[in-house]
Amino acid sequence: MVLLTQKELFDAVSAKFPDLLTKPVHRPLRLTSPLYKMQLQEKTDLFKSALQGMLADISSGKDAMEVAYDTERSRLWSFGLQPMWEVSSDKQQSRLLGTESLVALHSSSWAVGLILDVLDHLLNTNVEVYLQFKFLEIEAAIRVLEVYPTFPSISVNLRPSEWMMPEVQRRVLEASHRAPGRLAFELTEYTQDDHFVRLFGEEGSLAQRLTSTLLPVLRRLREEGVTLVADDLLPGGVYRYESEAARREGRRLTDHHATESGLVLSDEWADVFHGVKFGLEWVIHSMAITKSIGADYAAVPLYARNVKDNPAYVAAVTDGHVPEEEADRLLALQALQEAAAAALRDALEKMKRRSFSLLPVFEGTVPHGAAASWGLEGVAREQGGMLFEARFPPAWFYGRIPDTPHARVPSDSPCKRRLPTQ
C-alpha cells in the first residue's frame, strides 16, 4: 500500500467529512449534557468507561490497533493519529513524515482541552488507571508499526513525572526495541501534576532540577535506543506566562514549562534529543497567522475566535496590560509577533549547529508565504497541515476510509463550500 500525500488525504477525507476542520470524524456520543457543563467526576466516569471497554476488548482477543483507533464505537474517546507533513508549497507532493498519537473525542468538536482535567485528575489520584491509558496508547502505536511496515514514525507524549516512573521507563524501552527508530517519545512541558514536587524537589530553578534529575534518565534511555523529541518549545524571553490562567496564578513560564527553548537547545540538553517541535503559539505569532490568512484558517475555531491573538491573551503572555485604544492593541500584538519571529530565527540558527536526526516540527499549519520566506520548503514538518486538528486511524493514511452514515451531509453544505484550497 502507498501512503497518500497531504492533498490526496485531504481530498479523500473531506469528500466524506466536509466539516472535518471543525468536527471530529468519530461517531458522536450522545451525552446527557455538553462536556463543558459536566462535573469532573462525570467526565472521569465516561473516560474510564471508554478505557475499560477497550481493555476488555483486547483481553478478549481483539487487536489493540483496531480497538484503540475505532471511530464508530459509542464511547467518549478513542486514539487518533495527527499527521506531520513535509513542508511543501505543492500539497500534492507533501509527504507524510510522521504522526503523533493523540486523544480524539467522540463529541462535537476537536477541543480535547475539555477532558485535560480528567487526565490530570487520573494521574494525580489513580496512577494505575492513568498508566493503563498510557500503555494502551503505546501498544496501539506499536501494532500500527508492526502491521504497516511503510508507515512513518508515531510519537507518544510523556510528562516529566511520567519519565521518572520505573514502570514507564521499562515500557518505553520495550516498545522502542519492538519498533526501533519508528516509535518516538516526546518530552512534554507539563509540570503541574501532584507528583512533580515529590520527584523533582523544590530546591533550585526548574532548569536546574530538570537537569540534575531528568536529563540523566533521558540520556540513558537514548543510549539504550529510545528516540526522543522535545515537545512544544516556547522561548522564555518572549512568553512570560503560558496563558491568562497562568498569569492569574503567577506561574511564570520559565518556572513551569519543562521545554523552554533556551534549555532544550542548550549545549547540555540539545544532544539528548533527536528532534524538536516548536509550540503552536510560537508558530502562530512568529508567522503572524490570523484568520485573515485565508478561508481555511477562518473556518477553524482557534483562529476564528482569536484565541491566540486577542488583546487579553497578548497582555497575559507578555505580562503587559490590555490597551484601551484599538491602535495600541494592534501594536501590542505586532510587538509579540516580532519578538516571537526574532526568537524563532535565533532558534533555527542554533539548530543548524546541532546534529538532530529528525526534521523540526512546526505545531501549526504553515502558510504558503511563510514556508517560502522562512526557508522551510523540504527541510521541516508541519503538524496538521491542511487538516489542522484532525486525527485519524492509520488505515486512512492509505486511503482506506470507510463510508459512515454520520459523515454524510448535503452536497450544498456551507462546510463543503469553504474547504481549504492550499
Side-chain angles (χ1 to χ4, degrees), residues 9 42 64 91 96 169 172 203 233 258 266 296 305 332 405 410 415:
L9 181 63
E42 186 177 3
K91 302 303 182 184
L96 182 67
Q169 295 174 24
V172 166
E203 295 297 322
L233 267 65
S266 67
D296 45 353
R305 298 172 185 170
C415 294

Side-chain angles (χ1 to χ4, degrees), residues 201-266:
E202 296 180 277
E203 295 297 322
S205 67
L206 174 63
Q208 290 170 334
R209 286 179 285 156
L210 292 172
T211 298
S212 63
T213 306
L214 178 60
L215 182 58
V217 171
L218 297 181
R219 195 174 299 283
R220 172 177 61 81
L221 290 172
R222 172 171 175 144
E223 291 171 353
E224 296 185 37
V226 177
T227 299
L228 298 170
V229 174
D231 184 35
D232 200 25
L233 267 65
L234 285 179
V238 175
Y239 298 91
R240 301 290 295 276
Y241 299 94
E242 292 177 287
S243 64
E244 294 171 74
R247 185 188 189 184
R248 288 194 299 270
E249 297 166 9
R251 293 186 283 108
R252 295 171 64 91
L253 184 137
T254 52
D255 295 332
H256 294 277
H257 195 97
T259 53
E260 193 275 326
S261 61
L263 176 66
V264 169
L265 298 177
S266 67

Side-chain angles (χ1 to χ4, degrees), residues 135-374:
F135 292 164
L136 171 58
E137 181 178 24
I138 294 172
E139 181 61 27
I142 292 173
R143 289 296 300 140
V144 173
L145 300 174
E146 291 175 341
V147 171
Y148 298 103
T150 61
F151 203 83
S153 65
I154 299 175
S155 61
V156 175
N157 289 307
L158 292 172
R159 305 181 186 204
S161 292
E162 294 173 72
W163 281 108
M164 298 303 299
M165 298 178 181
E167 59 268 55
V168 172
Q169 295 174 24
R170 288 193 295 269
R171 187 59 63 95
V172 166
L173 275 172
E174 174 192 313
S176 297
H177 293 157
R178 286 175 61 186
R182 298 176 66 209
L183 185 64
F185 290 92
E186 299 185 13
L187 167 66
T188 70
E189 72 276 14
Y190 297 107
T191 63
Q192 308 309 305
D193 57 84
D194 292 350
H195 303 278
F196 191 83
V197 171
R198 172 177 62 83
L199 294 167
F200 293 92
E202 296 180 277
E203 295 297 322
S205 67
L206 174 63
Q208 290 170 334
R209 286 179 285 156
L210 292 172
T211 298
S212 63
T213 306
L214 178 60
L215 182 58
V217 171
L218 297 181
R219 195 174 299 283
R220 172 177 61 81
L221 290 172
R222 172 171 175 144
E223 291 171 353
E224 296 185 37
V226 177
T227 299
L228 298 170
V229 174
D231 184 35
D232 200 25
L233 267 65
L234 285 179
V238 175
Y239 298 91
R240 301 290 295 276
Y241 299 94
E242 292 177 287
S243 64
E244 294 171 74
R247 185 188 189 184
R248 288 194 299 270
E249 297 166 9
R251 293 186 283 108
R252 295 171 64 91
L253 184 137
T254 52
D255 295 332
H256 294 277
H257 195 97
T259 53
E260 193 275 326
S261 61
L263 176 66
V264 169
L265 298 177
S266 67
D267 292 338
E268 197 164 14
W269 275 79
D271 65 350
V272 80
F273 295 112
H274 294 81
V276 302
K277 301 174 73 173
F278 295 105
L280 176 64
E281 296 89 341
W282 198 358
V283 174
I284 289 175
H285 297 138
S286 62
M287 297 182 181
I289 302 174
T290 68
K291 61 185 177 184
S292 64
I293 289 288
D296 45 353
Y297 290 88
V300 176
L302 174 69
Y303 300 98
R305 298 172 185 170
N306 301 100
V307 174
K308 299 297 183 181
D309 58 8
N310 70 79
Y313 174 86
V314 172
V317 300
T318 58
D319 199 18
H321 67 281
V322 179
E324 294 184 4
E325 301 296 328
E326 180 63 22
D328 292 330
R329 293 181 176 186
L330 291 175
L331 287 174
L333 174 59
Q334 183 179 354
L336 172 58
Q337 292 170 336
E338 292 174 351
L344 183 57
R345 294 191 188 281
D346 180 64
L348 290 173
E349 284 299 316
K350 288 181 178 178
M351 288 192 65
K352 291 180 181 178
R353 301 192 291 270
R354 305 295 181 185
S355 56
F356 294 110
S357 58
L358 299 176
L359 294 180
V361 176
F362 290 79
E363 295 193 67
T365 300
V366 178
H368 171 75
S373 64
W374 284 82

